[in-house]
Amino acid sequence: MLRRQRGDAQPLDPAAVLLATPGVEFTSPTLREAVRLADGGPIAVITVALIHGSQFGLPNPGLLPTERERREVLGHVESAIRSLTKLGATGALDGQVAVTRHPAKKFAEVARLRGVSHVVVQDVDAAKWRKVIEGDVVKSVRRRLPAEITVVSPQETRESSA
């Protein structure tokens, strides 16, 4: 018997910064950038457990994230919150795990709902040809948000300065 799983309600508290990852661990430069941009304000952390597609044009429970995958991404959120505290984040911290096919779309939605000024995205370390095929999360989030919301990726600035 299939049972529908419901997640927690979407937090709606305002935040200064949204710290987002498409399911990978946050790096130190990304965490430091989030603390710097928050400047004492609240930081919201979000990560994604990916739905891997559909079968015969319909959602298939076998393509949903496994319990192990869900625990892994929840660990990313918990680890990030501990690290942000150690780095001196003084504002409120909260986290969430979203289950979706489109991480960039979800990040943009949450950024609008939470009224953030900055979105700091942990980019996936992949070759440029792979980003062309799979899509660039940072560019996609930037395209979906108004210009008033700054989208930053420490990996992007590192690559452009090299």
Side-chain angles (χ1 to χ4, degrees):
M1 178 169 118
L2 293 176
R3 98 176 188 262
R4 184 174 177 181
Q5 292 182 333
R6 295 177 189 244
D8 293 335
Q10 168 66 50
L12 298 175
D13 300 334
V17 173
L18 177 66
L19 179 60
T21 179
V24 296
E25 190 75 37
F26 289 102
T27 60
S28 294
T30 305
L31 295 166
R32 282 193 300 272
E33 184 69 11
V35 171
R36 184 185 72 76
L37 291 171
D39 195 28
I43 300 174
V45 181
I46 183 171
T47 187
V48 169
L50 283 175
I51 298 174
H52 299 287
S54 60
Q55 187 175 35
F56 307 119
L58 301 169
N60 183 319
L63 301 172
L64 293 173
T66 64
E67 191 60 36
R68 184 187 61 76
E69 290 171 326
R70 288 175 191 239
R71 279 194 310 270
E72 183 181 326
V73 294
L74 181 59
H76 296 330
V77 170
E78 292 168 346
S79 171
I81 290 174
R82 281 192 304 273
S83 298
L84 289 168
T85 304
K86 288 179 187 174
L87 289 170
T90 56
L93 302 170
D94 68 67
Q96 73 181 93
V97 174
V99 179
T100 183
R101 284 185 179 82
H102 308 288
K105 186 176 180 182
K106 188 64 174 179
F107 297 159
E109 176 188 332
V110 171
R112 275 192 228 94
L113 286 171
R114 303 292 299 264
V116 301
S117 317
H118 307 282
V119 178
V120 181
V121 180
Q122 173 65 54
D123 201 8
V124 179
D125 195 22
K128 287 185 181 185
W129 63 268
R130 186 170 177 181
K131 285 186 179 183
V132 168
I133 293 170
E134 294 178 355
D136 189 339
V137 176
V138 178
K139 289 180 181 175
S140 187
V141 172
R142 194 173 286 137
R143 187 178 68 244
R144 292 170 188 271
L145 290 173
E148 303 86 53
I149 300 176
T150 311
V151 179
V152 180
S153 172
Q155 292 78 8
E156 234 180 23
T157 55
R158 189 182 67 223
E159 289 170 5
S160 63
S161 64

